[in-house]
Amino acid sequence: MAGLDWAAFEDELVAGVVVKVAERASAGDRLYAAGLAEIYAETDGVIRLPMLGAVSEEEVAGDEDLLWSVPDWDTQWFEWLPEGRWRQWEQTLTDEAGRSSTRHWERTFARYLTVLTRVCKRARKQLLAAGATERQFVVVLLTDDDEEEQLLRRILGERELQRLFPGYDQAAAVTAELEAKEPADRAVHYARALSVGGGLIGPENAERRLRDLGPVALPVLTDLLIQGPDRWKAAKLLADIGYASDEVIEALTHALRRTTGADQNWVAAALSCLDRLDIVLVAPDLPSEVVVTAVSAPYSSFRDHATSPPLLDYSPLERFLTDHAELSEAVSERLSPGSSYCTIRAEEVGTAIDALRSPHPVVRRHSVCVLGERALGAVVGRQVIPCLTAVVVNDPDSATRRLAILSLQWWKHDARHCAETGRQALHDSDPNVRATAQRWLDELSQ
């Protein structure tokens, strides 16, 4: 397979942007900006090309909320390269990213973003030279994440960044002022910014800052549990910080009795992640949904947000399934594949492998999925892959066998030598297992 020709890739993207924006400009409106946005990517998996949009000065003047929200612009292109080239470049980019380790995928994605910054600068220059746009017009890359500011700084000059995106410097000034305060005072200010519309700091940044403050933030977060719209956020952050002091557990226990709906679900999940599932299980008159949420929380991606996630431990889940068989189906539904599992670390691999022998299918399904994590590295892969092949051949649950094949597929070339297991699975009694095995073999043959 030929590698990705980065120069040709960049040239074709530039040409695509220029053609589409020039077409839009020919309608006679003065264009304010064009934007590349909505980049979809799965770590170690597919990488998509961004959508392209253009907005006129008149549109922006009529509705400032449209500014830098490309999906809300009147003019959008979801595929803006010549026919056939779009999917060809997406496939070539994905193949290049996935041909080696997960670190190579990350480096390839970073290089891809760098290419897109150059595409923005070159397209802007060419459109100005062609007379299609004016000097104030810009082409920008919008990723709506922590990387966006640095990407924009590669595209725009300092003055332009301040003119078009003044919020970055304003937020930096506010943050610098807050960081000069005592930690307890900072916690109070960041807690106020948790609400939607939380000023220049923003809710996500406020959550991150409170998490970083650690135990210093506990008093203000326990206060938030008492009332207001941010009780669920307070519960989540208490779990993220992971400090199960008597005061924290007492506050969560009180909130469990006083909250309902989503707030109560988050409070129960926080108690569970702080190793106090017992409080949830003895609480009277809790809805089954709340109990199931608490039991499932340590095995979901909720766990990964913690500053120091607790080690994977299936024993509380197995005890619950044994003691509360009437809720096993609800737990299985909550922990169904695709429900966003936790990501395990190398030191947890042994626990996940041991769980492959659990008498409970939901435990085996979870463990077989979290073992399909190629970022654990090749050394761990040599330990994990034989276990997954054994599951494909021997597990009595067809769903678990199918998931084991998918995990082998996620290990990519590291599991190529296990193709015979896939061929054996072509004779599985379950048609879904057979179909999954065939797709894996087809991928191996490419």
Side-chain angles (χ1 to χ4, degrees):
M1 180 183 68
L4 175 58
D5 184 337
W6 288 98
F9 179 46
E10 180 179 324
D11 288 345
E12 194 157 340
L13 293 180
V14 172
V17 172
V18 169
V19 167
K20 293 299 183 182
V21 174
E23 288 176 359
R24 174 67 178 83
S26 66
D29 293 334
R30 285 166 56 98
L31 295 186
Y32 183 81
L36 300 175
E38 302 294 302
I39 300 173
Y40 179 81
E42 298 173 2
T43 301
D44 204 29
V46 66
I47 302 176
R48 302 294 187 200
L49 299 184
M51 69 178 294
L52 170 65
V55 67
S56 69
E57 293 183 358
E58 183 179 0
E59 289 176 79
V60 172
D63 185 355
E64 288 191 0
D65 290 337
L66 285 177
L67 192 58
W68 313 127
S69 180
V70 177
D72 294 323
W73 292 355
D74 288 342
T75 303
Q76 305 168 12
W77 299 274
F78 293 97
E79 296 187 9
W80 37 272
L81 295 180
E83 185 176 357
R85 300 296 290 167
W86 185 268
R87 287 177 176 78
Q88 181 178 335
W89 279 120
E90 281 191 335
Q91 188 61 56
T92 303
L93 177 61
T94 298
D95 289 345
E96 169 61 29
R99 68 178 173 83
S100 183
S101 64
T102 52
R103 287 186 179 182
H104 177 76
W105 188 97
E106 292 166 354
R107 288 193 295 268
T108 301
F109 187 71
R111 186 173 181 179
Y112 167 52
L113 293 179
T114 297
V115 165
L116 292 179
T117 63
R118 291 200 296 264
V119 167
C120 291
K121 295 172 72 172
R122 291 177 58 192
R124 177 189 184 183
K125 185 176 181 180
Q126 290 185 23
L127 286 162
L128 178 63
T133 56
E134 299 185 8
R135 189 169 297 278
Q136 295 293 315
F137 170 85
V138 294
V139 184
V140 293
L141 173 61
L142 303 169
T143 55
D144 194 26
D145 59 16
D146 293 340
E147 303 296 323
E148 183 176 272
E149 180 182 355
Q150 293 307 314
L151 293 170
L152 287 170
R153 289 188 183 279
R154 297 189 204 176
I155 298 168
L156 304 171
E158 188 66 31
R159 289 184 179 178
E160 280 189 322
L161 187 73
Q162 291 175 355
R163 174 174 64 87
L164 298 171
F165 298 90
Y168 285 124
D169 285 342
Q170 292 169 0
V174 171
T175 300
E177 182 180 347
L178 286 177
E179 289 299 304
K181 297 179 180 292
E182 291 297 317
D185 292 332
R186 296 205 302 268
V188 171
H189 285 277
Y190 289 133
R192 291 172 183 163
L194 284 175
S195 299
V196 175
L200 291 169
I201 297 172
E204 291 184 5
N205 188 27
E207 284 189 35
R208 183 167 54 251
R209 298 284 179 172
L210 286 165
R211 193 181 297 115
D212 291 343
L213 283 170
V216 174
L218 297 180
V220 70
L221 291 174
T222 53
D223 286 346
L224 277 181
L225 283 174
I226 298 173
Q227 61 182 352
D230 299 316
R231 284 178 290 184
W232 72 271
K233 288 185 180 180
K236 176 184 179 299
L237 284 167
L238 288 170
D240 290 349
I241 292 170
Y243 191 74
S245 67
D246 291 343
E247 292 79 11
V248 167
I249 298 304
E250 181 180 352
L252 287 168
T253 303
H254 181 77
L256 186 65
R257 298 192 298 266
R258 300 291 182 177
T259 53
T260 58
D263 286 336
Q264 193 175 47
N265 281 337
W266 280 101
V267 170
L271 282 165
S272 180
C273 287
L274 291 172
D275 199 26
R276 294 308 307 267
L277 177 62
D278 59 299
I279 293 174
V280 179
L281 296 184
V282 301
D285 303 322
L286 284 183
S288 296
E289 179 189 359
V290 175
V291 176
V292 169
T293 296
V295 171
S296 306
Y299 312 100
S300 72
S301 59
F302 177 34
R303 184 197 81 143
D304 299 339
H305 301 162
T307 304
S308 298
L311 288 172
L312 182 67
D313 181 4
Y314 286 107
S315 56
L317 175 59
E318 291 187 308
R319 282 195 300 270
F320 181 85
L321 293 168
T322 299
D323 297 341
H324 302 273
E326 74 280 4
L327 290 177
S328 61
E329 185 175 342
V331 173
S332 296
E333 179 64 27
R334 179 59 61 90
L335 288 176
S336 60
S339 61
S340 191
Y341 289 160
C342 61
T343 300
I344 64 171
R345 296 156 289 178
E347 60 267 30
E348 299 173 308
V349 167
T351 298
I353 289 175
D354 289 343
L356 296 175
R357 297 190 295 271
S358 171
H360 303 285
V362 63
V363 174
R364 300 200 305 277
R365 292 170 192 169
H366 185 278
S367 61
V368 85
C369 287
V370 298
L371 287 169
E373 180 57 64
R374 199 165 71 98
L376 290 166
V379 173
V380 171
R382 288 193 286 273
Q383 179 186 6
V384 167
I385 290 170
C387 299
L388 294 175
T389 60
V391 171
V392 174
V393 175
N394 299 318
D395 197 280
D397 176 60
S398 61
T400 305
R401 297 196 301 274
R402 175 180 171 274
L403 292 169
I405 296 173
L406 289 173
S407 285
L408 287 169
Q409 188 173 7
W410 275 110
W411 278 98
K412 297 188 177 179
H413 61 273
D414 293 317
R416 181 177 293 275
H417 64 283
C418 300
E420 180 57 32
T421 300
R423 286 189 282 271
Q424 291 180 39
L426 293 177
H427 305 286
D428 193 277
S429 60
D430 187 278
N432 291 323
V433 175
R434 297 197 299 270
T436 303
Q438 186 61 64
R439 286 193 292 272
W440 178 39
L441 292 170
D442 290 344
E443 182 178 289
L444 290 177
S445 67
Q446 293 177 2

